[in-house]
Amino acid sequence: MSEVSQDYLKAIWSAQEWGGTPMTATELANRFGTTKANVTEVLKRLDELDLIVRVPYRPPVLTAKGETIAVSMVRRHRLLETFLVESLGYGWDEVHDEAEILEHAASDRLVDRIDVFLGRPKTDPHGDPIPGPDGQVESHASSLILAEAGPGSYTVIRVSDADPEALAHLAEVGVVPGAQVEVVDEGRAPAADPSTATVTIDGEAVEIDRAVATAVYLAQR
């Protein structure tokens, strides 16, 4: 199977993992920097291979066979990211693009060896769950996004790796998976800025741009 096909299956699966909406052909074109016509051709091939179901004017849906391949690629990607951070000293904002390349070259045997070497980690550096060798993956579809969270006590469970600059900034202020944060009631905060979300970490107030805050996923304590 081509790398492009693998990337499309992974993208379609990943779009809904954290409660997002199904990925349309237009969104796939934007994701991969190509034309909608090219996306249509790829989706036709995937449909012919019984990896997706295509319905006119609706997002593609993975078949059981397509989902198995997608989850396998997600497993590869997240284990490689974890290996790069924990064993090779990469920053968590540096590993996504590297893993995108390596996931297509690594054999199943190498991926399984990395899993064992790392002690079978449950999550990658960004908090995304790592599927097991049997394809089972923990769901966090009910999590909250920081930008939409009300006042209260939360644990950071995931930070999207889509924007390396946002990752670097969030790491600097301590907003990383496992961090305990208090979301401040903006209505009571002096000179509250509606373009930011305010949290306290270890008693220190931190203002986070709301665009960046959409990358942070929380679980209520």
Side-chain angles (χ1 to χ4, degrees):
M1 177 182 297
S2 71
E3 293 182 7
V4 170
S5 294
Q6 291 173 334
D7 287 341
Y8 271 60
L9 294 174
K10 185 178 69 166
I12 293 168
W13 184 88
S14 298
Q16 293 183 268
E17 180 186 10
W18 289 85
T21 57
M23 211 167 198
T24 65
T26 299
E27 289 169 333
L28 284 166
N30 292 335
R31 165 70 176 79
F32 293 109
T34 188
T35 65
K36 194 172 177 181
N38 284 340
V39 169
T40 299
E41 289 303 311
V42 174
L43 294 179
K44 283 181 179 178
R45 291 199 301 271
L46 294 176
D47 189 25
E48 291 168 358
L49 293 169
D50 191 32
L51 298 174
I52 66 167
V53 174
R54 291 179 69 232
V55 177
Y57 310 110
R58 301 195 65 178
V61 177
L62 295 175
T63 63
K65 181 179 176 184
E67 183 171 356
T68 296
I69 295 171
V71 172
S72 173
M73 295 307 299
V74 169
R75 170 176 163 79
R76 287 164 167 264
H77 183 92
R78 293 177 181 174
L79 278 170
L80 287 163
E81 285 191 330
T82 307
F83 178 73
L84 290 171
V85 169
E86 294 191 5
S87 300
L88 298 185
Y90 277 70
W92 74 333
D93 56 322
E94 300 176 309
V95 293
H96 178 74
D97 289 344
E98 294 278 16
E100 286 284 299
I101 297 169
L102 295 171
E103 68 191 35
H104 298 292
S107 67
D108 290 338
R109 182 181 182 186
L110 176 59
V111 170
D112 289 340
R113 288 286 183 91
I114 289 174
D115 190 18
V116 173
F117 176 77
L118 294 173
R120 299 196 183 280
K122 299 298 183 185
T123 60
D124 73 7
H126 311 102
D128 284 308
I130 298 174
D134 59 356
Q136 295 298 307
V137 56
E138 185 177 356
S139 173
H140 289 296
S142 62
S143 61
L144 295 169
I145 295 174
L146 173 56
E148 300 172 356
S153 300
Y154 301 89
T155 300
V156 177
I157 58 173
R158 184 231 184 186
V159 180
S160 170
D161 62 1
D163 184 346
E165 289 187 6
L167 283 173
H169 171 67
L170 291 168
E172 285 179 5
V173 298
V175 180
V176 296
Q180 308 296 305
V181 302
E182 297 281 337
V183 176
V184 175
D185 184 346
E186 296 291 353
R188 298 180 183 176
D193 183 350
S195 68
T196 65
T198 304
V199 301
T200 60
I201 304 173
D202 296 329
E204 182 176 346
V206 176
E207 289 192 354
I208 300 171
D209 186 279
R210 286 197 178 273
V212 174
T214 60
V216 181
Y217 290 71
L218 308 171
Q220 191 135 26
R221 286 190 275 152

